[in-house]
Amino acid sequence: MPNVRLTLPDGTVREFPQGVTALEVARALSPRLAAEGLAARVDGRLVDLTEPIETDASVQIITPSSPEGLEIYRHSSAHLLAAAVLELFPDAHPGVGPPTETGFFYDFYREKPFTEDDLAKLEAKMQDLVAADLPYERVYFPKEEGLKIFEQKGEFLKCQLIQEKAEPVFSAYRTGKFLDFCRGPHIPSTGRVKAFKLLSVAGAHWKGDERSYPLQRIYGTAFFSKKDLDAFLAKLEEAKKRDHRRLGKELDLFSIQDEAGAGLIFWHPKGGIVRKEIEDWLRAELVARGYDLVYTPHAMRLHLWEISGHTNFYRENMFGPMEVENDHYQLKPMNCPGHILIYKSRPRSYRELPLRLAELGTVYRYERSGVMHGLLRVRGFTQDDAHIFSMPEQVEHEVEECIEFAFQVLKTFGFDQYEVELSARDPKNSEQYAGTVEEWELAEGALKKTLERMKIPFKTMPGEAVFYGPKIDLKLVDAIGRPWQLTTVQFDFNLPRRFGLEYVGSDGRGHTPVMVHRALLGSIERFFGVLIEHYAGAFPVWLAPVQARMLPVSEKHLEYARRIAGELRAAKLRVDVDDRNEKLNARIRDAQLQKIPFMLVVGDREAQSNTVSVRRRDSGDAGAKAVSDFGAWMRELIDSRATKW
RNA sequence: GCUGGCGUAGCUCAGCUGGUAGAGCAUCUGAUUUGUAAUCAGAGGGUCGGGGGUUCGAAUCCCUUCGCCAGCUCCA
């Protein structure tokens, strides 16, 4: 039998008999590699360890430490789940079951819904299958023949997939009694699955099409070790504890009320303080950066939205128009037309450009009833919006400034990780965009060049652009690693033309300006939600609704506590006094649960020496401090917007 | 909007197969005068999300509507 020459990752070349499997290669290299191997990469192609290698090739063994390892492992876990489902629930029809970023899922069509109890039973069955150490056996079928087998099993979803996607001879994987149409690769056997958990069951639709079959999706996750799984589950718990909806209630920050309607936010006094601090900082920053602050009406004549193109391209996100004196008015879903009207209110000279109009503009968008989510997805929200009108040659610089501003925002609010996406048009779907192909190419090129010049890594997302132009989106990553889309910088060559905007150039002639839409926090509501989760409700001093709470040891010290609170308030600090008739311990506990940064315990000792005993939220008793020293310290923490102290 | 789950006091939740509501915390009152994460006692508080139906009788069963949760889809 002839030999094949296999190139290993370290560059060495070794000869093996033709038809050797990657598993055999691994064994030849080291028993440990063979034991750990999950799959193999042969000439760039991911294959099973048991696949024969017939020609010279480069071979790499995929192990748990390879980036692809976990994905393959989870895909195999999904098959394991499906195998368990078919054993326990023969009436379930399997759909698809891919790995995801955090685990895997498998979709089934079934009349009866799966319950939480079913998940426990399925986990037990999966354990049995793991114990049985069944191989993931790759088998091949000619298309017609294979199709018949799946038809006999009544797996109509699989049949549909095979008809649409299968090669003339297609591969499938057998795990015990379960046979799945699948490209692979898979791990060698079920015994290799070490740590998994089924997490939830939720609805889904066949191929994501809501008119198609309703399916039940079972979510699970799998890791190489129990330790990793436990760490993941702990992270889920942590996320639950940080949930802004829960903290919003516990800390009395905001509410959403049935009586008022879904997706509409009530900012309570404590949330209101946080919002005001954010807005004050932002406004000062806007002014410093050459923006002009404006205000525009919440409802305007529908006619404007026809000009802007919103009634064509955005109607399904708009509340219905209201009739006023034989005319129609529209609650604004965006702030752009208002700012455009300000621009248009008089002739503009090139000397005033770029004109940066900023507004904390409240907009209303119709969201389908199932999509609202706390502060993160609502129907009424305030954008920290701005529209920059500039000459074409200024626009790249303006985009750069916006991104630089966005980075400053991230830093100020304690975020240090981010991801950047460039959203371009979908070239196959040009009718959903306003403007010509040339204009789009120009705009996308300009955004791309700007990011490259700033040396910012980014991903290009085709088909993600808005109807009037391409955009750069910035996602921040919060304290527990979740990304949130907030900042958006959008290029617009469309609206200026639709509204007939002009400026007089140095040549004395009229020209059309270019417009940049940008929001940095995105929406104040969403940003607030993200902030709550990022800080787990424990805001830095400058944002904390109550910055310090006086805790008089007994009623005797109430007067002193009130006097000091008054002094600190005069120094513009947010201080309150817990004058309830409760044990000190109980009041400390409450302040702690309210995540107030500083507790000031005052009793005889403090009253005599004009001091306060400082208890820090995160590290407990910090000893006595002169009142004036404490005030100065607080001032510094606030003015520097310190996130740690 | 779609699929599934759910909606009981301000909050968190109990209430088996229908017999007309209960706990802890919170609130109020009283006692206690507190030194770094829950003092004790008493009281008030619910047309069981809304509407309709089945039944002698509904928090419990059915229909409908609103809302919430997990997803799908979509987005700041």
Side-chain angles (χ1 to χ4, degrees):
Chain A
M1 192 184 280
N3 281 355
V4 288
R5 292 164 56 81
L6 302 184
T7 311
L8 304 174
D10 63 1
T12 58
V13 176
R14 291 184 56 167
E15 294 207 6
F16 289 91
Q18 192 180 27
V20 69
T21 67
L23 184 61
E24 286 157 357
V25 173
R27 273 199 202 114
L29 296 173
S30 99
R32 191 163 155 225
L33 188 62
E36 277 196 343
L38 298 166
R41 185 184 288 284
V42 175
D43 274 347
R45 210 165 47 90
L46 287 169
V47 300
D48 292 342
L49 283 175
T50 50
E51 175 123 328
I53 301 169
E54 306 292 352
T55 59
D56 293 355
S58 66
V59 174
Q60 179 200 352
I61 307 298
I62 305 290
T63 67
S65 46
S66 330
E68 308 89 341
L70 191 58
E71 206 174 299
I72 293 168
Y73 179 77
R74 286 173 168 170
H75 183 194
S76 299
S77 302
H79 276 229
L80 178 64
L81 164 63
V85 167
L86 290 188
E87 293 222 2
L88 294 180
F89 306 98
D91 57 330
H93 303 271
V96 294
T100 64
E101 263 185 44
T102 55
F104 60 86
F105 65 78
Y106 215 109
D107 283 346
F108 300 91
Y109 178 81
R110 182 172 178 241
E111 298 282 331
K112 264 179 71 183
F114 291 110
T115 65
E116 295 289 317
D117 292 346
D118 293 340
L119 291 190
K121 285 182 206 150
L122 284 167
E123 272 186 17
K125 176 53 79 178
M126 286 167 75
Q127 288 296 2
D128 292 348
L129 296 175
V130 167
D133 198 17
L134 304 168
Y136 286 86
E137 187 192 346
R138 187 179 174 94
V139 286
Y140 293 91
F141 296 102
K143 187 166 175 176
E144 289 309 315
E145 190 185 314
L147 201 52
K148 275 200 196 102
I149 289 173
F150 282 93
E151 268 166 16
Q152 272 161 23
K153 288 148 67 87
E155 296 184 0
F156 65 102
L157 296 173
K158 287 290 174 201
C159 290
Q160 199 179 326
L161 280 184
I162 292 166
Q163 258 154 358
E164 287 167 16
K165 294 194 171 167
E167 307 281 323
V169 173
F170 68 82
S171 66
Y173 279 81
R174 193 189 302 281
T175 320
K177 283 177 243 164
F178 174 59
L179 182 69
D180 198 356
F181 168 55
C182 181
R183 199 179 292 133
H186 280 282
I187 60 177
S189 68
T190 57
R192 302 289 292 277
V193 179
K194 295 297 177 209
F196 65 89
K197 181 156 182 63
L198 298 183
L199 298 171
S200 62
V201 48
H205 298 271
W206 181 235
K207 294 183 181 171
D209 180 352
E210 64 187 45
R211 288 159 305 188
S212 193
Y213 303 106
L215 305 178
Q216 298 183 61
R217 176 168 297 178
I218 298 177
Y219 280 93
T221 192
F223 289 89
F224 291 117
S225 71
K226 176 94 167 48
K227 199 175 130 217
D228 289 353
L229 174 65
D230 288 345
F232 174 79
L233 295 176
K235 203 170 126 181
L236 283 188
E237 279 306 306
E238 174 66 20
K240 225 189 255 175
K241 265 190 246 154
R242 285 168 180 260
D243 190 317
H244 72 280
R245 293 167 299 185
R246 170 196 172 125
L247 287 169
K249 201 178 275 177
E250 285 172 5
L251 305 181
D252 199 13
L253 298 171
F254 70 92
S255 63
I256 299 168
Q257 312 207 26
D258 294 7
E259 244 186 307
L264 301 170
I265 306 302
F266 290 79
W267 293 75
H268 294 198
K270 287 187 175 144
I273 286 170
V274 181
R275 176 167 177 165
K276 185 191 164 290
E277 289 295 337
I278 295 170
E279 291 186 358
D280 285 352
W281 174 80
L282 189 71
R283 284 205 182 87
E285 214 42 53
L286 284 165
V287 170
R289 287 171 175 269
Y291 285 80
D292 298 312
L293 304 179
V294 301
Y295 299 86
T296 62
H298 286 205
M300 291 171 260
R301 290 174 57 205
L302 183 61
H303 163 71
L304 280 172
W305 306 100
E306 283 160 1
I307 297 176
S308 68
H310 282 88
T311 52
N312 279 335
F313 297 103
Y314 206 71
R315 185 171 28 206
E316 60 199 35
N317 286 299
M318 286 156 56
F319 277 94
M322 43 197 156
E323 209 181 308
V324 182
E325 291 172 346
N326 292 325
D327 200 349
H328 291 280
Y329 279 69
Q330 175 64 46
L331 211 43
K332 68 175 170 182
M334 290 190 186
N335 298 303
C336 3
H339 296 178
I340 284 170
L341 292 188
I342 292 174
Y343 181 96
K344 262 187 87 163
S345 64
R346 62 172 172 78
R348 299 286 175 179
S349 150
Y350 74 98
R351 294 175 188 278
E352 339 177 35
L353 302 185
L355 181 66
R356 309 182 187 95
L357 300 183
E359 175 178 12
L360 293 169
T362 303
V363 298
Y364 291 87
R365 296 185 185 172
Y366 171 71
E367 296 286 356
R368 306 208 297 173
S369 58
V371 306
M372 261 82 72
H373 182 87
L375 293 172
L376 302 179
R377 188 78 182 274
V378 296
R379 282 183 175 158
F381 58 98
T382 302
Q383 293 180 302
D384 66 318
D385 208 356
H387 293 90
I388 300 168
F389 301 89
S390 75
M391 294 190 274
E393 56 269 37
Q394 295 169 323
V395 73
E396 278 186 37
H397 178 253
E398 290 303 311
V399 168
E400 195 170 326
E401 292 271 302
C402 288
I403 290 168
E404 198 266 312
F405 195 170
F407 285 146
Q408 192 200 351
V409 169
L410 294 188
K411 209 174 121 227
T412 302
F413 290 95
F415 300 99
D416 46 21
Q417 284 183 68
Y418 62 88
E419 295 164 5
V420 176
E421 289 176 357
L422 171 61
S423 296
R425 73 198 183 289
D426 175 1
K428 281 176 290 206
N429 242 331
S430 56
E431 72 280 3
Q432 62 175 308
Y433 304 107
T436 66
V437 173
E438 292 72 36
E439 288 168 326
W440 276 84
E441 276 170 3
L442 196 80
E444 286 170 13
L447 292 181
K448 198 167 159 228
K449 258 194 342 223
T450 306
L451 287 174
E452 282 164 357
R453 193 172 50 240
M454 296 179 77
K455 298 196 166 47
I456 297 170
F458 65 95
K459 272 193 296 194
T460 303
M461 312 290 281
E464 297 292 312
V466 288
F467 74 83
Y468 47 72
K471 60 176 179 166
I472 293 171
D473 287 332
L474 207 140
K475 292 185 178 178
L476 59 79
V477 178
D478 75 8
I480 55 174
R482 296 167 304 180
W484 302 95
Q485 210 238 285
L486 301 166
T487 302
T488 181
V489 179
Q490 311 180 342
F491 197 102
D492 186 350
F493 38 76
N494 177 50
L495 290 182
R497 200 176 47 217
R498 282 172 173 265
F499 280 93
L501 300 190
E502 278 202 341
Y503 63 90
V504 178
S506 55
D507 56 3
R509 282 207 273 263
H511 301 270
T512 305
V514 174
M515 204 170 142
V516 174
H517 306 239
R518 62 66 326 177
L520 304 177
L521 309 179
S523 98
I524 309 278
E525 285 75 5
R526 176 179 286 184
F527 188 73
F528 186 37
V530 172
L531 262 193
I532 293 170
E533 305 212 354
H534 180 60
Y535 288 123
F539 293 107
V541 185
W542 74 286
L543 291 170
V546 178
Q547 292 165 325
R549 170 166 290 174
M550 306 295 308
L551 300 177
V553 170
S554 84
E555 216 166 89
K556 278 188 303 194
H557 314 107
L558 195 50
E559 196 187 327
Y560 177 68
R562 289 199 171 122
R563 203 184 83 219
I564 302 305
E567 284 175 23
L568 293 171
R569 280 193 208 116
K572 304 278 190 290
L573 301 177
R574 295 188 289 269
V575 178
D576 66 11
V577 181
D578 189 344
D579 56 5
R580 289 175 308 160
N581 182 4
E582 291 288 348
K583 303 280 278 187
L584 181 61
N585 274 344
R587 287 176 287 147
I588 286 174
R589 181 169 189 271
D590 283 349
Q592 200 72 48
L593 292 175
Q594 286 297 303
K595 310 195 186 231
I596 296 168
F598 295 100
M599 284 151 262
L600 305 177
V601 178
V602 291
D604 287 336
R605 294 201 293 273
E606 289 78 11
Q608 269 156 34
S609 56
N610 208 42
T611 58
V612 290
S613 277
V614 179
R615 182 189 163 95
R616 299 159 60 117
R617 172 174 68 193
D618 41 12
S619 58
D621 197 343
K625 257 193 167 40
V627 175
S628 56
D629 288 351
F630 177 74
W633 183 34
M634 291 280 280
R635 187 79 264 149
E636 198 202 311
L637 290 177
I638 292 167
D639 290 346
S640 64
R641 287 176 287 276
T643 52
K644 287 199 181 74
W645 54 85

